[in-house]
């Protein structure tokens, strides 16, 4: 199949390129815009209590005031507000309401702080558009107008709240994407120039992957709209890294094999056909593992991750197709001139350093496996201190953003839980009016819960069938203490609800409590399903039952080491209260899927060497010598591109960038280089049970490249699952 693809593309390179360009123009021109949603509640299914409570609130209290934006006032000198200051705030509040800004439904004065230094203006927006771009636009107008109205007074004003957070998140995302894009571009360009010393070849993947990115983004937007998935601006930043990082990996695999075939004496077009025929299965298998891992996120209960899975799977699928069609077409048109002005592609490098590493593994495989395994195990101990944080808004933008400053100042000026109180909705089961005589006792029981600052009955709906009890926690909504406290509030609210009534607990802490439950569900579901599917790919590719088990176990150990190191760096060294709640799921999928790719390349090369008649230890040595440079180059580029996410300046992408880049570095430079080959050397022929994939075969004519092969005895078949013997920087 891969030879047929290569032949068709090389015979019609111009038509292949034109087809890609037409597809890009058509998809980009017609694709819908990708919305961004920063509303955490939209990430949860309707079956969770916090979402049921929100739905009940909309029905029972449709006119209830829920601020989407908060203008926080204080004096410029930080002193207590004067009577004139309060008059200015009242005037500004009135004039702001008279402007009739789009999405704004009501503007009312808020409560002053206990110390008299702060006061608020509360802005209610259309709840149907919560988290959507139009509310971010409204927040921008509000921010400009309120600052304009404050000029000439002694007041300083800042705009916060969910709408302002959406605006700041949008701006932060654009800045982050620009920094990540520039960083990724520079890293790939410089690294490819060092490896190949050929400017055309260094720029080519950046140009082609840029085209692929445009198509992938359009298809993702279509899928998001078609399946009504939730979108988040952070996905765009992740896509940049995935497309350019993974795309460059596939480009390297192809170019190393193309260079090898030219060195073997193939004509340029024949060399590209043979390159696609022989490396196509390696690229397809590597992409398949990544795609399956990403698609496993569909099983997640969180809307954010359910959207991310298909989005990344689409991106990798388009990159795979480009790697097998677009890049071969462009390279076949340029020919060997793509390596200009370097001449190093014409001679075989010795790879002395990797040969020395291979000899070390050959002489002491047990020691190599033990040392590398103990390093990974020691790093994994850090996972014992893992804590999660659930505030997606503050995690996805710098603390210096205006809405984040407002959030921090409100927590100091008011009680920690006042900014996001918890609501307990008590409803009658039979539709009759509630017995109001039970309200005081019920509120007292809620107020007596450990972690609750106060509880009171706030309002009753028109029919008297639902009452809203406002519960103020002692802690900020997204903290572990608040989440534990709201769990206790739920227990009391349910257990002590008067006869004939039922209670639902809503609010941000309740949402975070449900997110915590959903993430734990994902750990139990997504992780094993992804691992099982990747093991299935490994078993089919390697035709072995034994190898997939220790390969996935080694990658799992790499995941533990990565999470442990991330905990030590961010929680212990930098003092973060916890890591973003979805980080372990994302990290697991990236590290396991991509880490498996490097293991595939290494063990497939080891099998090829064993088929040449070498014993398991010598085969491991030769595999490291020949495949090591390929894994090192690909691993370095991918780890470095993910590290650019740390330039975004927010906790979510900084933690994600470090964790995934560290995990890929561990996968490439510890697992694939030492742990996997040394384990395979120790296990020996049993690693390939029940097949005999490592047994010597007749290789006559196997290197000629005339046929892609149809069985395990084919030399070309051996090649298709491994990096080429000369596939390394030269």
């Amino acid at each position: 199949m891969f030879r047929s693809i290569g032949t068709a593309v090389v015979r019609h390179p111009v038509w292949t390129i034109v087809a890609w360009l037409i597809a890009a123009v058509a998809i980009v021109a017609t694709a819908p815009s990708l919305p961004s949603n920063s509303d955490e509640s939209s990430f949860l299914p309707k079956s969770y209590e916090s979402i049921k409570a929100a739905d009940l609130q909309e029905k029972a209290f449709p006119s209830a005031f829920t601020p989407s934006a908060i203008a926080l006032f204080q004096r410029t000198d930080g002193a207590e507000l004067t009577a004139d200051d309060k008059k200015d705030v009242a005037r500004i509040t009135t004039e702001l309401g008279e402007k009739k800004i789009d999405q704004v439904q009501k503007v009312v004065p808020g409560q002053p702080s206990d110390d008299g230094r702060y006061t608020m203006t509360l802005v209610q927006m259309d709840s149907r558009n919560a988290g959507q771009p139009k509310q971010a636009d409204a927040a921008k107008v509000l921010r400009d107008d309120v600052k304009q109205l404050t000029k000439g007074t002694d007041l300083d004003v800042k705009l916060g709240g969910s709408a302002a957070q959406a605006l700041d998140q949008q701006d932060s995302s654009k800045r982050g994407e620009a920094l990540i894009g520039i960083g990724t571009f520079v890293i790939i360009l410089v690294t490819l120039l060092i490896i190949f010393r050929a400017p055309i070849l260094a720029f080519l993947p950046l140009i082609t992957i840029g085209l692929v990115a445009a198509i992938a983004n359009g298809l993702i937007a279509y899928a998001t709209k078609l399946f009504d998935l939730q979108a988040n601006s952070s996905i765009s930043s992740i896509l940049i890294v995935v497309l350019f990082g993974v795309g460059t990996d596939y480009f390297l695999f192809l170019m190393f094999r193309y260079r090898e075939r030219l060195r073997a004496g193939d004509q340029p077009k024949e060399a590209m056909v043979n390159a696609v025929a022989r490396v196509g299965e390696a690229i397809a298998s590597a992409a398949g593992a990544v795609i399956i891992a990403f698609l496993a996120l569909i099983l997640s209960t969180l809307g954010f991750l359910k959207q991310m899975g298909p989005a990344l799977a689409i991106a990798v699928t388009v990159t795979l197709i480009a790697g097998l069609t677009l890049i071969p077409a462009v390279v076949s048109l340029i020919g060997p001139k793509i390596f200009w002005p370097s001449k190093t592609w014409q001679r075989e490098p010795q790879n002395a350093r990797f040969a020395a590493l291979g000899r070390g593994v050959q002489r002491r495989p047990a020691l190599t496996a033990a040392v590398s395994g103990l390093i990974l195990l020691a790093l994994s101990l850090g996972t014992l201190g893992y804590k999660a944080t659930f505030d997606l808004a503050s995690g996805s933008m710098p603390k210096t953003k205006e809405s984040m400053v407002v959030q921090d100042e409100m927590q100091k000026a008011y009680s920690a839980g006042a900014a996001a109180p918890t609501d307990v909705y008590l409803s009658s089961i039979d539709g009759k009016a509630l017995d109001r005589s039970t309200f005081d006792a019920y509120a007292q029981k809620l107020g007596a819960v450990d972690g609750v600052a106060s509880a009171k009955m706030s309002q009753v709906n028109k029919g008297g069938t639902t009452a809203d009890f406002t519960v103020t926690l002692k802690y900020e909504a997204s903290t572990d203490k608040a989440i534990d406290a709201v769990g206790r509030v739920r227990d009391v609210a349910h257990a002590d609800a008067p006869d004939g009534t039922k209670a639902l607990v809503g609010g941000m802490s309740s949402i975070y409590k449900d997110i915590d439950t959903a993430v734990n569900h994902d750990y139990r579901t997504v992780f094993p399903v992804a691992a099982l599917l990747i093991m299935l790919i490994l078993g089919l590719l390697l035709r072995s039952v034994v190898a997939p088990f220790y390969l996935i176990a080694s990658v799992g150990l790499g995941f533990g080491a990565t999470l442990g190191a991330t905990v030590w760096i961010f929680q212990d060294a930098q003092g973060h209260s916890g890591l973003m709640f979805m980080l372990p799921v994302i990290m697991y999928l990236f590290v396991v899927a991509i880490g498996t790719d490097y293991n595939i390349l290494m063990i497939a090369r080891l099998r090829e060497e064993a088929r040449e008649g070498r014993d398991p230890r010598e085969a491991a040595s030769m595999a490291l010598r020949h495949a090591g440079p390929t894994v090192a180059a690909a691993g370095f580029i991918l780890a470095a591109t993910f590290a650019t996410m740390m330039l975004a300046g927010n906790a979510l992408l900084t933690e994600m960038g470090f964790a995934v880049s560290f995990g890929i570095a561990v996968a490439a430079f510890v697992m694939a280089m030492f742990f996997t080959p040394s384990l395979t050397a120790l296990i020996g022929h049993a690693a390939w049970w029940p097949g005999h994939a490592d047994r010597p075969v007749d290789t006559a004519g196997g290197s000629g490249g005339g046929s892609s092969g149809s069985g395990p005895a084919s030399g070309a078949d051996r090649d298709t699952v491994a990096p080429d013997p000369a596939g390394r920087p030269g």
Side-chain angles (χ1 to χ4, degrees), residues 35-55:
S36 175
N37 198 333
S38 59
D39 180 11
E40 285 91 340
S41 66
S42 64
F43 298 158
L44 288 167
K46 293 186 180 298
S47 59
Y48 281 85
E49 181 170 351
S50 60
I51 307 305
K52 289 180 179 179
D55 291 341

Side-chain angles (χ1 to χ4, degrees), residues 338-542:
I338 197 170
F339 297 106
W340 177 90
S342 174
K343 301 292 185 184
T344 56
W345 65 273
Q346 297 175 348
R347 58 181 181 272
E348 187 82 15
Q350 296 302 311
N351 291 327
R353 292 192 185 111
F354 289 93
L357 292 175
R359 289 192 296 271
V361 171
Q362 180 179 3
R363 287 194 298 266
R364 300 181 182 86
L367 179 62
T368 303
V371 170
S372 55
L374 285 173
I375 290 173
L376 296 175
L377 191 60
L379 289 172
S380 298
L381 294 176
T383 59
L384 299 176
Y386 168 73
K387 294 180 180 179
T389 182
F390 298 89
D391 190 354
L392 186 61
S394 63
S396 58
M397 71 184 95
K399 292 291 187 182
T400 54
K401 283 291 186 180
E402 187 171 327
S403 59
M404 292 296 97
V405 174
V406 170
Q407 179 173 289
D408 291 341
E409 289 184 352
M410 283 188 63
Q411 289 172 19
K412 295 173 185 176
Y414 299 83
S415 62
T422 295
D423 290 288
V424 177
Y425 298 103
L426 189 68
S427 300
S428 64
I429 295 175
D430 55 10
K432 296 180 180 179
L434 295 168
D435 181 2
R436 297 183 181 233
S437 65
T438 63
F439 288 176
D440 288 343
Y442 189 62
Q444 287 178 4
K445 290 177 181 178
L446 293 174
V449 174
D450 182 26
V452 172
S454 65
K456 63 178 181 179
M457 199 285 292
S458 302
Q459 57 185 331
V460 180
N461 70 338
K462 290 181 179 179
T465 57
T466 300
D468 176 9
F469 292 80
T470 300
V471 178
T472 303
L473 303 179
K474 295 179 180 178
Y475 318 108
E476 193 275 318
S478 64
T479 61
D480 289 340
K481 289 183 178 180
I483 292 169
D484 291 340
V486 86
R488 294 189 290 271
V489 169
R490 282 184 178 181
D491 292 339
V492 171
H494 297 158
D496 293 330
D499 292 339
T501 67
K502 64 177 181 179
L504 291 174
V505 181
M508 289 310 303
S509 293
S510 185
I511 289 171
Y512 293 138
K513 176 71 175 176
D514 287 340
I515 288 176
D516 188 26
T517 302
V519 170
N520 289 330
H521 164 272
D522 291 350
Y523 290 160
R524 297 189 300 269
T525 306
V526 177
F527 282 22
V529 168
L532 187 64
L533 293 174
I534 291 173
M535 284 180 66
L536 182 62
I537 286 183
L538 288 171
L540 293 173
L541 178 66
L542 301 175

Side-chain angles (χ1 to χ4, degrees), residues 91-333:
R91 173 186 57 81
I92 293 168
T93 301
T94 301
E95 292 183 12
L96 200 61
E98 291 172 350
K99 287 183 174 290
K100 304 297 182 183
I101 299 170
D102 180 49
Q103 296 296 307
V104 173
Q105 296 177 328
K106 194 183 297 183
V107 181
V108 300
Q111 293 294 321
S113 62
D114 291 339
D115 61 9
R117 294 172 55 215
Y118 294 88
T119 192
M120 299 181 291
T121 291
L122 307 178
V123 181
Q124 179 176 275
M125 295 187 186
D126 188 345
S127 61
R128 294 171 297 179
N129 297 319
Q132 296 302 317
K134 59 178 65 178
Q135 291 208 352
D137 295 340
K140 188 176 189 306
V141 176
L142 272 171
R143 183 173 284 170
D144 293 339
D145 285 354
V146 75
K147 289 183 186 297
Q148 186 66 36
L149 291 171
T150 308
K151 284 184 177 180
T153 70
D154 294 324
L155 296 170
D156 176 67
V157 63
K158 299 182 182 71
L159 191 75
S162 59
Q165 287 176 357
L167 172 64
D168 289 341
Q169 189 179 49
Q170 192 179 83
D171 293 341
S172 178
S173 176
K174 289 177 181 177
R175 176 182 176 276
E177 284 179 31
L179 289 172
I180 290 169
I182 293 170
T184 300
F185 186 93
V186 170
I187 287 170
I188 293 175
L189 180 63
V190 171
T191 306
L192 290 178
L193 282 172
I194 292 173
I195 292 174
F196 293 104
R197 294 185 282 279
I200 299 176
L201 192 147
F203 277 101
L204 180 59
L206 297 171
I207 296 170
T208 54
I209 296 170
L211 179 65
V212 170
I215 294 175
N217 273 300
L219 293 176
I220 290 165
Y222 272 121
T224 300
K225 184 176 181 179
L226 181 63
F227 298 105
D228 194 27
L229 301 172
Q230 297 296 335
N232 186 276
S233 54
S234 298
I235 292 177
S236 298
S237 301
I238 300 169
L239 277 175
I240 293 172
V241 177
V242 170
L243 285 165
F244 281 90
V246 174
T248 303
D249 268 8
Y250 300 162
F251 177 81
L252 283 172
F253 300 160
L254 182 68
M255 292 310 301
F256 285 162
R257 181 52 62 97
Y258 177 62
R259 185 177 62 180
E260 187 271 335
R261 296 314 309 162
L262 289 174
R263 286 170 175 166
D266 287 359
Q267 292 300 311
K269 290 188 179 296
E270 179 189 8
M272 181 51 70
V273 172
N274 286 333
V276 175
R278 298 184 180 210
V279 83
E281 187 177 346
I283 295 175
S285 299
V290 178
I291 291 167
I292 282 180
F294 288 156
L295 286 178
L297 283 174
I298 294 175
L299 300 175
S300 171
T301 51
L302 293 173
F304 172 77
L305 295 177
K306 288 176 80 76
Q307 196 268 352
M308 179 181 285
L312 296 179
I314 289 170
V316 175
T317 301
V318 177
T319 305
L320 167 63
I321 297 171
L324 297 177
T325 59
L326 179 60
I327 291 175
V330 174
V331 174
S332 67
L333 278 179

Side-chain angles (χ1 to χ4, degrees), residues 1-16 254 268-278 280 323-326 328-329 332-333 705-708:
M1 180 181 75
F2 295 105
R3 175 168 293 279
S4 299
I5 293 172
T7 301
V9 167
V10 169
R11 283 182 180 175
H12 308 287
V14 174
W15 285 112
T16 302
L254 182 68
K269 290 188 179 296
E270 179 189 8
M272 181 51 70
V273 172
N274 286 333
V276 175
R278 298 184 180 210
L324 297 177
T325 59
L326 179 60
S332 67
L333 278 179
S707 171
S708 63

